[in-house]
Amino acid sequence: PAIANAIRRVLIAEVPTMAIEKVFIHNNTSIIQDEVLAHRFGLIPIFADPRKFMFLPTQEEGSPFPDSSPQHMLEFKLKVKCTHNPKAPKDAEDPNELYHSHKVTTDHIKWTPIGEQAKMFSVHDIRPVHNDILIAKLRPGQEIDVRLVCTKGLGKDHAKFSPVATASYRLLPEITLTRPVIGPLADKLARCFPKGVIKVQDISGQRKAVVANARKDTCSREVLRHEDLKDCVELSRIRDHFIFSVESTGALSSDTLVLEALRVLMDKCSHFLTEIDT
């Protein structure tokens, strides 16, 4: 369990990703304050392989943000201005008919290559993970004009760098029938578990309950509430079989994230052993 939990914690906090770190606001006349708008930009997941970038060098507190660097940064621009739709019907009330560009979404975020990045990546390689995330709503005359700078970081420094939305694990359930369960009790037993865990089969003319797929069990222990069934079943978990659930934010696939987490964990172990030897 300790190793499994270590993998989970590394997935959440120590596998690097690219995220928006600096927001340079040239113009913001929307109703959203600059600080809130910058925070919203920071939480947008960016589709970019962090393994192809380097961490920014450590800087002293108060030093200016470094200049653009193709090895350390990605840059995006967003410029949207809302205008009236002159062709809107006179009785229209829907903002989609009344205005142009009244919704600012991630589809408006455009990648600006730095240095030789245009030769290294295509437009499809560097972009927001989703192009329909709503950032702000505008009305005629309002405008947002910003420059966004992405850097490589870790989830333990800020949640926006975490590569996963969720990362959890559970032990594989084990269900053992202590005696045959036949007839109406078999159907009742099947209803005590999620669909697919217990199946009722016709064996030699009798309806008999069998364990079909214990993995689907949610360990609700509903069966123990029934006096006529609780002695028919033994519920346990296999202590050395872990089922991981990893939901990626989209920059890297879930299986790649698990491999990267294992690599990080192995590096930490190697560093620890080196420290002991010295």
Side-chain angles (χ1 to χ4, degrees):
I3 295 177
N5 193 48
I7 295 172
R8 181 191 68 84
R9 290 172 65 91
V10 169
L11 273 168
I12 293 173
E14 298 193 55
V15 174
T17 61
M18 301 295 289
I20 295 171
E21 176 69 8
K22 291 292 181 181
V23 179
F24 297 92
I25 299 177
H26 303 304
N27 191 13
N28 174 27
T29 54
S30 72
I31 63 171
I32 300 179
Q33 300 94 329
D34 292 352
E35 295 83 356
V36 177
L37 185 64
H39 183 262
R40 291 180 67 84
F41 279 121
L43 295 178
I44 295 171
I46 301 298
F47 185 85
D49 192 340
R51 295 170 294 184
K52 297 181 179 179
F53 296 88
M54 300 168 60
F55 287 101
L56 277 177
T58 304
Q59 294 180 288
E60 295 182 3
E61 188 175 352
S63 59
F65 192 71
D67 295 332
S68 299
S69 167
Q71 293 82 25
H72 302 93
M73 302 178 190
L74 287 170
E75 283 195 11
F76 296 89
K77 288 186 178 180
L78 180 146
K79 187 173 183 179
V80 182
K81 185 173 183 178
C82 180
T83 58
H84 282 284
N85 178 14
K87 297 182 180 179
K90 292 184 179 180
D91 58 345
E93 296 182 356
D94 185 358
N96 292 318
E97 296 180 345
L98 289 171
Y99 315 122
H100 290 307
S101 304
H102 74 101
K103 287 185 178 180
V104 182
T105 67
T106 46
D107 191 43
H108 293 102
I109 296 177
K110 305 302 180 184
W111 172 47
T112 305
I114 305 171
E116 300 294 320
Q117 286 183 347
K119 296 180 181 179
M120 299 169 56
F121 309 104
S122 71
V123 177
H124 303 290
D125 295 331
I126 309 295
R127 55 179 172 79
V129 171
H130 304 287
N131 63 0
D132 58 351
I133 299 175
L134 182 64
I135 300 170
K137 291 184 178 181
L138 305 178
R139 287 299 179 262
Q142 295 180 343
E143 180 181 3
I144 295 178
D145 183 4
V146 296
R147 180 169 68 93
L148 312 170
V149 179
C150 292
T151 60
K152 185 174 180 177
L154 301 175
K156 65 181 181 181
D157 297 324
H158 196 288
K160 67 184 178 184
F161 290 112
S162 181
V164 295
T166 58
S168 61
Y169 67 89
R170 63 188 179 99
L171 296 174
L172 177 67
E174 186 176 33
I175 302 171
T176 306
L177 300 180
T178 57
R179 60 182 174 84
V181 182
I182 58 178
L185 275 182
D187 294 309
K188 184 177 180 180
L189 179 67
R191 291 195 297 269
C192 291
F193 292 90
K195 186 177 181 180
V197 176
I198 301 293
K199 285 190 176 180
V200 180
Q201 297 179 347
D202 192 352
I203 301 175
S204 301
Q206 283 188 321
R207 292 176 62 76
K208 183 178 181 181
V210 296
V211 179
N213 190 351
R215 182 173 181 146
K216 292 183 177 181
D217 185 30
T218 57
C219 300
S220 67
R221 303 170 70 86
E222 168 68 18
V223 67
L224 301 181
R225 297 177 63 247
H226 303 274
E227 291 293 331
D228 52 351
L229 290 175
K230 67 179 184 179
D231 295 328
C232 302
V233 180
E234 285 185 359
L235 304 177
S236 60
R237 302 181 188 183
I238 300 176
R239 293 294 171 181
D240 59 352
H241 190 136
F242 299 92
I243 302 172
F244 271 84
S245 297
V246 180
E247 182 181 339
S248 169
T249 57
L252 296 174
S253 62
S254 297
D255 53 348
T256 301
L257 289 176
V258 173
L259 293 176
E260 286 297 304
L262 291 172
R263 184 188 61 78
V264 171
L265 187 59
M266 291 171 63
D267 289 344
K268 291 168 75 73
C269 292
S270 298
H271 178 72
F272 180 69
L273 292 175
T274 303
E275 290 295 316
I276 291 176
D277 293 338
T278 56

